[in-house]
Amino acid sequence: MTRPNLQIALDHNTLESALANVTKVGDIVDILEVGTILCLQEGNQAIRCIKEIFPEKKIVADTKCADAGGTVAKNVADAGADWMTVICCATLPTMEAAKKEVEELQVELYGDWTFEQAESWRAIGIKQAIYHQSRDALLSGETWGEKDLTKVKKLIELGFNVSVTGGLNVETLKLFEGIDVYTFITGRGITAAKDPVQAANDFKNEIVRIWGE
Ligand code: 5RP
């Protein structure tokens, strides 16, 4: 089992506040995500700027794209994004068009989706899925549990590299012990911490403790 990556989600309202965080913790994490909120607020300028500061890191544009996949993907790739997200209810043609423009496409699993759909994503060559607890689900009292682990394992069996995200904290990670998670994505667990550098190191150390170097 390989050590899961650590990805920071920059869901800031301004590029300035995102930069204040990412310049401190960017070197600690493996992957940098220009979050949906930041994409909507600051557009591709945020991607351009973060790629310029961290040219060696994978940059994800979390567009959660639902349509015009090829155009959106080309635009974020031109700005410096390596990977991009599409929402799971997007059509296969949207996903196929987006996939051509970026190094890797990730399907964001929200709301209703089926394993039959997941098989069709694999069939068009999509390798990455993001298993998500939405902010709003968490706010309405959802928690991480066995039902999530079962679905994550089944997605891995289908051949996906599965990222896990949504309200994660360091304590949540041990729930996934023994599961070949590809990436843990955390936003506020780092960005809203009193000491973001300490928080990023705590996440990293816990991943290493559980999955090894
Ligand atoms: C919200 C997202 C977030 O970027 C991701 O879930 C991380 O958020 P947090 O750790 O702050 O809950 O994609 O749609």
Side-chain angles (χ1 to χ4, degrees):
M1 212 169 277
T2 39
R3 175 178 65 75
N5 297 301
L6 177 61
Q7 175 172 326
I8 186 171
L10 301 166
D11 280 311
H12 300 72
N13 278 318
T14 65
L15 179 55
E16 192 186 356
S17 55
L19 291 179
N21 261 146
V22 77
T23 47
K24 288 191 195 127
V25 301
D27 285 327
I28 302 167
V29 303
D30 303 296
I31 301 167
L32 306 176
E33 170 191 321
V34 180
T36 313
I37 294 170
L38 188 58
C39 283
L40 290 170
Q41 288 289 100
E42 299 276 5
N44 287 339
Q45 171 61 13
I47 299 170
R48 218 169 278 117
C49 189
I50 290 165
K51 186 66 174 181
E52 206 173 296
I53 302 171
F54 294 98
E56 76 294 352
K57 296 275 176 184
K58 291 285 178 211
I59 308 285
V60 182
D62 188 16
T63 56
K64 297 186 175 67
C65 182
D67 196 9
T71 306
V72 174
K74 182 172 185 326
N75 291 344
V76 299
D78 285 348
D82 302 287
W83 302 347
M84 180 186 119
T85 65
V86 286
I87 197 76
C88 55
C89 59
T91 62
L92 288 182
T94 294
M95 294 186 188
E96 280 176 309
K99 192 175 167 297
K100 285 191 193 128
E101 304 293 338
V102 286
E103 188 186 301
E104 288 206 24
L105 192 68
Q106 304 176 301
V107 181
E108 286 256 6
L109 305 175
Y110 270 102
D112 295 326
W113 56 273
T114 64
F115 284 103
E116 199 181 336
Q117 280 176 296
E119 279 169 21
S120 69
W121 305 327
R122 284 295 296 129
I124 61 167
I126 293 176
K127 286 190 262 176
Q128 294 204 44
I130 302 178
Y131 188 87
H132 215 124
Q133 289 262 21
S134 76
R135 280 186 183 216
D136 299 334
L138 291 163
L139 279 175
S140 66
E142 284 261 351
T143 52
W144 286 98
E146 203 49 49
K147 62 177 193 330
D148 305 302
L149 305 186
T150 305
K151 289 185 193 162
V152 168
K153 283 188 228 166
K154 199 161 168 192
L155 287 164
I156 294 170
E157 276 164 30
L158 286 181
F160 285 101
N161 287 336
V162 181
S163 299
V164 167
T165 189
L168 295 182
N169 54 49
V170 174
E171 286 70 47
T172 327
L173 302 189
K174 57 171 133 6
L175 265 180
F176 294 88
E177 186 157 8
I179 303 178
D180 208 359
V181 172
Y182 184 61
T183 299
F184 286 106
I185 306 171
T186 178
R188 292 162 294 170
I190 294 176
T191 60
K194 216 186 268 170
D195 182 345
V197 172
Q198 182 65 50
N201 279 318
D202 289 347
F203 270 99
K204 194 92 196 216
N205 291 339
E206 182 67 351
I207 290 173
V208 170
R209 185 189 72 76
I210 298 172
W211 283 272
E213 293 285 350

